[in-house]
Amino acid sequence: MNCVGQSLRAVAANLSDIKSNIKPGNWRAFLKSGAINCSERFAVDLVSAYTNWLGGSDIEDNLLASLTPRSLALMGSKGVTDKERQKVFEAVGNGERMTEATVRGLVKGSKKKGNKSVQKTESQKIKSLKEKIETYKKVISNLQDENKKLSKLLSNREKIDSLV
């Protein structure tokens, strides 16, 4: 596992070095060219992880081997602290299976929201619907009044135009 982690770190460092030596705007074209034998996403994630945190990290190589490049990039995301990264490495050290979703949950918190809405009774639903009906009746009445006023203005304008 140490060798795998060392290799991952070395590949990330070399890709980062290559990116820094390529003219701006040509990095994606280089990746799409097939010059290196990995996917574009793989390379982008490794470079992101390396430049954002992995390059200056002293994390053990055997722990890196259990994580995907996508997970490593997530750990370098904006706002992720060393303490949150440490949670991931503790979980890896404890033998937990680390998926991208698991890493995201550990570093950014769970996005799932509990269903806190309380079910309304039938009478509450009926009351709510009746209130909406009354509101819409008022809106309709106001629109009809407005329509009558506009019709009067239009007819007055036509009378004025016929006199001119």
Side-chain angles (χ1 to χ4, degrees):
M1 293 302 269
N2 270 339
C3 288
V4 173
Q6 285 174 345
S7 297
L8 199 57
R9 188 187 302 262
V11 168
N14 286 323
L15 285 172
S16 181
D17 189 41
I18 291 169
K19 181 181 179 189
S20 67
N21 288 316
I22 291 178
K23 289 183 182 177
N26 292 334
W27 171 240
R28 292 286 183 162
F30 171 76
L31 294 177
K32 289 178 183 179
S33 73
I36 56 174
N37 191 20
C38 68
S39 72
E40 182 180 351
R41 185 80 255 165
F42 183 92
V44 168
D45 286 338
L46 278 181
V47 169
S48 172
Y50 189 81
T51 56
N52 290 332
W53 74 276
L54 187 57
S57 171
D58 61 347
I59 198 70
E60 296 175 26
D61 291 327
N62 65 327
L63 295 175
L64 293 177
S66 301
L67 298 166
T68 65
R70 191 80 178 145
S71 296
L72 292 171
L74 266 171
M75 293 170 64
S77 299
K78 187 176 184 179
V80 177
T81 64
D82 286 335
K83 186 177 180 182
E84 292 164 330
R85 285 185 202 105
Q86 194 57 40
K87 281 191 232 177
V88 173
F89 291 123
E90 285 173 9
V92 168
N94 291 334
E96 290 184 40
R97 184 171 174 264
M98 283 292 116
T99 63
E100 182 185 337
T102 308
V103 171
R104 180 174 276 115
L106 288 171
V107 298
K108 294 191 175 186
S110 178
K111 298 278 182 181
K112 293 182 180 179
K113 295 179 182 176
N115 188 4
K116 295 182 180 180
S117 63
V118 178
Q119 290 290 335
K120 292 181 179 179
T121 64
E122 292 299 318
S123 62
Q124 288 173 325
K125 289 178 185 177
I126 291 170
K127 182 180 177 184
S128 174
L129 289 171
K130 284 182 178 178
E131 289 172 356
K132 286 181 182 179
I133 288 170
E134 289 304 313
T135 302
Y136 290 130
K137 282 182 180 179
K138 289 177 184 176
V139 169
I140 290 170
S141 176
N142 289 338
L143 289 172
Q144 285 173 336
D145 290 344
E146 185 74 20
N147 194 12
K148 286 178 187 175
K149 289 176 185 176
L150 291 172
S151 293
K152 284 182 184 178
L153 284 172
L154 184 59
S155 68
N156 287 342
R157 172 148 178 120
E158 289 172 354
K159 287 178 186 177
I160 292 172
D161 285 345
S162 66
L163 293 175
V164 174

